[in-house]
Amino acid sequence: MRSHDDDHRYESVSAGETAVLQSLEDVRPLTCFLTEKDRAGLAAQLKSLAGCRDGIFPQLTRYLEAKLADALPLAEGAVPEDLATGGSRVVYALDDTRHPEDRILVQSDEDFVVGLTLPTTSLLGAALLGGVAGQQVPYLTAEGDLRYAELR
């Protein structure tokens, strides 16, 4: 497996494939639709990361900046049924697996219940937020890899 010392790059591995180095810029725009509440939640998360320079935090900061820059605005009253928003139930499969999982997206870590909810403050939760059914959503892993989840 190849490696790269530029922290602007991410390793992307699909199930059964060899590793391919891929830049965050290669998967942009991070197409999503954010309600004002969801946008505010991601912006608050981004603000809380200010000054964090260790581990996954620099990559997460760039990911959230890209997501907020690329997101299309959506009025609270115009939320499509298949849009992943705070409080909605999402069904997703990670890395081309055939075993979908479902969770309720929650805005706060305080509302986290193992096996039932997925906080939008988590790497996966932040990535799924604003996606629509059928979309392949790039997400960061704790190791800094860029992988894909499919919303169903």
Side-chain angles (χ1 to χ4, degrees):
M1 184 162 37
R2 296 168 40 203
S3 65
H4 195 285
D5 61 358
D6 179 0
D7 65 0
H8 291 277
R9 300 190 54 88
Y10 304 89
E11 189 174 331
S12 176
V13 181
S14 295
E17 294 182 5
T18 58
V20 176
L21 289 174
Q22 191 173 40
S23 167
L24 176 60
E25 294 303 315
D26 291 341
V27 296
R28 285 188 77 183
L30 298 174
T31 305
C32 65
F33 299 90
L34 293 175
T35 64
E36 288 187 31
K37 182 177 180 180
D38 292 338
R39 182 180 291 278
L42 287 180
Q45 183 179 355
L46 182 60
K47 186 176 181 180
S48 73
L49 293 172
C52 295
R53 301 201 189 320
D54 297 327
I56 188 69
F57 297 116
Q59 292 97 328
L60 178 58
T61 297
R62 282 192 295 282
Y63 183 89
L64 291 177
E65 287 171 343
K67 185 164 185 117
L68 286 167
D70 296 348
L72 301 169
L74 185 66
E76 290 291 335
V79 178
E81 208 173 281
D82 62 349
L83 182 69
T85 63
S88 69
R89 180 178 169 268
V90 293
V91 178
Y92 59 93
L94 302 178
D95 303 318
D96 298 328
T97 64
R98 295 178 189 201
H99 306 290
E101 299 181 42
D102 67 284
R103 300 285 187 278
I104 298 170
L105 284 177
V106 293
Q107 297 280 344
S108 169
D109 290 337
E110 296 170 2
D111 297 325
F112 176 65
V113 178
V114 175
L116 179 64
T117 64
L118 178 64
T120 58
T121 54
S122 70
L123 298 171
L124 180 59
L128 294 177
L129 191 66
V132 294
Q135 184 177 3
Q136 293 280 328
V137 179
Y139 72 97
L140 286 171
T141 67
E143 295 78 27
D145 297 339
L146 187 62
R147 297 195 176 218
Y148 290 86
E150 179 185 352
L151 280 164
R152 297 192 174 170

